[in-house]
Amino acid sequence: MMLVALIARDKPDSLEIRKANRDAHLAYIEATGVVTQAGPLIVDGGMAGSLVILDVPDLAAAEAWAADDPYAKAGLFGSVELVEWKKVIG
């Protein structure tokens, strides 16, 4: 297993897309069971993206998870980066 940081930046003016798909996104996180930490990125007091830490077998599994995320399917993100991550503290 490996930890992967998913760093996604919302498209401009996409708060309504985020709100409309939030419940489906949270249900997906619960159903898949691979998210260890998650939360929105905040810029100037508003939500601007997501940081999700995945515990998956490999990068391909992280890519598949990211592609099936309801936020991604709804077109919320302007960019998504997947990077192997090593937990040191916490």
Side-chain angles (χ1 to χ4, degrees), residues 28-52:
Y28 178 66
I29 287 174
E30 181 71 25
T32 57
V34 298
V35 175
T36 65
Q37 297 178 66
L41 301 174
I42 307 298
V43 174
D44 296 329
M47 287 184 262
S50 299
L51 171 63
V52 181

Side-chain angles (χ1 to χ4, degrees), residues 1-7 36-37 51-56 59 82-90:
M1 296 299 278
M2 70 187 300
L3 296 175
V4 176
L6 181 157
I7 304 160
T36 65
Q37 297 178 66
L51 171 63
V52 181
I53 305 298
L54 303 168
D55 189 356
V56 290
L59 198 53
L82 294 164
V83 182
E84 186 174 356
W85 182 70
K86 181 179 179 182
K87 182 178 179 179
V88 175
I89 297 172

Side-chain angles (χ1 to χ4, degrees), residues 55-78:
D55 189 356
V56 290
D58 52 36
L59 198 53
E63 290 167 352
W65 190 95
D68 285 338
D69 180 357
Y71 277 168
K73 288 183 172 185
L76 175 62
F77 302 132

